Amino acid sequence: MAAAVFQGFGASTALSLSKSFDSKRVKLPFGRSLSERRASFVVVGSDGRVVLDSSRAQKLVTNAVATKGDSAAATSASKPGHELLLFEALQEGLEEEMERDPLVCVMGEDVGHYGGSYKVTKGLATKYGDLRVLDTPIAENSFTGMGIGAAMTGLRPIVEGMNMGFLLLAYNQISNNCGMLHYTSGGQFKIPIVIRGPGGVGRQLGAEHSQRLESYFQSIPGIQMVACSTPYNAKGLMKAAIRSDNPVILFEHVLLYNLKERIPDEEYVLSLEEAEMVRPGEHVTILTYSRMRYHVMQAAKTLVNKGYDPEVIDIRSLKPFDLYTIGNSVKKTHRVLIVEECMRTGGIGASLTAAINENFHDYLDAPIVCLSSQDVPTPYAGTLEEWTVVQPGQIVTAVEQLCK
């Protein structure tokens, strides 16, 4: 079980708190305090095996990519740990990092005593006070700029966009400040900020609340982008993003917040630059992320019944791509299908297609196929909304054509 270790630089600036917090008195639902859980660090394999390692209590450990021998059908009930919904996993990761590092703070609309629009910050204002969990006015450009300034002074802010579409109002701050200040300052400033929030096509939320901003932000130099898809990787990516000295945008899908999964009791942190092997296979590589992971896995059941053996990879890291994992898969299957909810023009799929063609063209036996959302504003009507997003039947048809 391979694992990589990341070293954090840390920051020297201290944050004065309006309320003291005793982690020893906080009992989590699964019966262990945060300080007790922090005492032992683990390497968690994709098969659910847990290896304790107290010597790594202050280091980041990445999750190993699944191998052919890993069981994709292991049920959550057979794994140790506790069950959480995805929004609860994000909350747990955020709470653990706030307890571990007093420099971590949160800001955004209704993140305080209301607990956030999807309850990711529920209860944190009571525990950590209004200075560390800061309610802001409805002014995305202002509080995003404030968060970037806080990061420049040594804090580690998490900026929540109530909806990712609203962060277009802060595009100048994210592009010209967040992504470039480390370079334009000659390395004098680090920008350890996390920008996160719900996005994607929901259930009749209308065009303005159904934005997929991956395509907008991917071209900004200096920014990393990751997309969570399960409670397990949501928590692990949240913790890794907070500890990173780079600005990280964490994309959460509005329809995945109530997914339930059993995750380890012990602390774990995932790599921000590593894809996840969801299902090993031989016939075709299917690359996907976020909500489309579940459309792909639904299609995979049909494909297996028809005699196909698809390999499914959740790329997770939208910038940079994990070309090591992707490349090994392409060399094995020689066929690639990309499935995304992003727009077709200038989307993640377009960038991924270019990267694969540039690096692995000689291994391809067929042109890369990319299934994306249609280049139209997302309709409010439910039936029309469905038509704009890739459905499992389209994935089945695409694989059948690719494997002819």
Side-chain angles (χ1 to χ4, degrees):
M1 188 186 325
V5 177
F6 286 61
Q7 294 285 355
F9 292 101
S12 58
T13 307
L15 177 65
S16 60
L17 305 181
S18 62
K19 295 187 180 181
S20 60
F21 176 67
D22 186 358
S23 63
K24 296 180 181 178
R25 295 181 180 177
V26 177
K27 295 296 182 181
L28 298 180
F30 38 92
R32 299 183 65 183
S33 69
L34 290 175
S35 57
E36 289 173 333
R37 294 168 60 207
R38 189 178 59 181
S40 60
F41 207 92
V42 298
V43 178
V44 183
S46 54
D47 57 356
R49 289 177 292 164
V50 176
V51 180
L52 292 174
D53 186 354
S54 59
S55 67
R56 294 185 176 181
Q58 300 301 324
K59 297 178 182 179
L60 301 183
V61 180
T62 65
N63 182 37
V65 173
T67 62
K68 180 70 174 177
D70 288 332
S71 172
T75 62
S76 61
S78 65
K79 299 179 183 179
H82 56 288
E83 280 193 342
L84 288 179
L85 301 175
L86 190 143
F87 82 88
E88 293 172 328
L90 289 166
Q91 180 191 50
E92 185 172 278
L94 178 54
E95 181 181 349
E96 288 179 6
E97 291 305 299
M98 293 188 74
E99 194 263 339
R100 184 188 69 89
D101 185 354
L103 300 175
V104 177
C105 54
V106 182
M107 58 187 69
E109 298 156 2
D110 287 336
V111 298
H113 295 282
Y114 183 73
S117 55
Y118 288 90
K119 303 306 177 185
V120 173
T121 57
K122 183 180 180 181
L124 297 183
T126 303
K127 292 180 181 179
Y128 298 107
D130 295 336
L131 283 181
R132 291 186 70 187
V133 186
L134 180 64
D135 272 325
T136 66
I138 303 175
E140 283 76 10
N141 56 345
S142 299
F143 67 73
T144 303
M146 180 172 63
I148 295 167
M152 293 172 67
T153 69
L155 302 182
R156 292 185 174 271
I158 297 98
V159 172
E160 175 180 312
M162 182 179 287
N163 182 281
M164 290 299 275
F166 302 161
L167 290 178
L168 289 175
L169 296 167
Y171 192 85
N172 176 63
Q173 285 75 14
I174 296 171
S175 175
N176 287 326
N177 302 143
C178 185
M180 299 185 187
L181 270 171
H182 180 70
Y183 172 78
T184 56
S185 69
Q188 296 181 74
F189 295 111
K190 294 182 294 186
I191 316 295
I193 188 173
V194 179
I195 299 173
R196 52 155 295 270
V201 178
R203 289 283 186 267
Q204 295 182 266
L205 298 179
E208 294 179 353
H209 287 192
S210 301
Q211 295 274 35
R212 288 132 286 176
L213 298 190
E214 306 96 289
S215 59
Y216 291 73
F217 293 133
Q218 66 172 328
S219 62
I220 300 175
I223 283 181
Q224 286 187 270
M225 303 195 313
V226 291
C228 61
S229 54
T230 68
Y232 175 81
N233 66 39
K235 178 181 176 181
L237 292 174
M238 170 71 88
K239 291 171 70 69
I242 293 172
R243 297 189 191 188
S244 174
D245 283 328
N246 297 315
V248 179
I249 301 178
L250 173 59
F251 292 94
E252 305 155 15
H253 200 285
V254 67
L255 291 182
L256 300 185
Y257 279 124
N258 287 324
L259 283 178
K260 182 179 287 188
E261 184 183 22
R262 187 174 296 275
I263 68 174
D265 290 337
E266 294 78 9
E267 183 176 21
Y268 66 93
V269 181
L270 301 183
S271 169
L272 292 174
E273 301 176 4
E274 191 173 90
E276 176 189 352
M277 180 68 70
V278 181
R279 183 192 188 278
E282 300 289 341
H283 293 163
V284 60
T285 297
I286 305 181
L287 304 174
T288 189
Y289 65 93
S290 191
R291 174 197 177 192
M292 286 296 109
R293 168 177 175 153
Y294 298 95
H295 283 211
V296 168
M297 291 308 293
Q298 186 177 338
K301 294 178 182 178
T302 302
L303 289 168
V304 169
N305 290 335
K306 292 188 172 189
Y308 297 98
D309 186 18
E311 180 153 292
V312 180
I313 296 175
D314 184 340
I315 62 173
R316 286 198 315 210
S317 176
L318 308 184
K319 183 183 180 183
F321 296 131
D322 179 4
L323 292 180
Y324 177 80
T325 301
I326 294 169
N328 283 339
S329 180
V330 173
K331 292 173 184 178
K332 177 174 62 173
T333 67
H334 309 292
R335 292 173 174 83
V336 176
L337 171 64
I338 300 170
V339 182
E340 63 175 346
E341 193 178 87
C342 200
M343 298 300 188
R344 182 169 185 81
T345 301
I348 296 298
S351 298
L352 194 52
T353 298
I356 295 171
N357 276 325
E358 288 173 2
N359 292 278
F360 309 109
H361 180 268
D362 289 346
Y363 296 96
L364 293 171
D365 287 345
I368 298 171
V369 175
C370 183
L371 299 179
S372 312
S373 292
Q374 295 183 35
D375 287 333
V376 296
T378 304
Y380 175 77
T383 51
L384 294 178
E385 181 183 67
E386 263 191 31
W387 275 100
T388 67
V389 178
V390 179
Q391 299 300 324
Q394 295 171 267
I395 301 170
V396 172
T397 301
V399 170
E400 288 175 332
Q401 294 175 347
L402 259 177
C403 294
K404 280 182 178 179

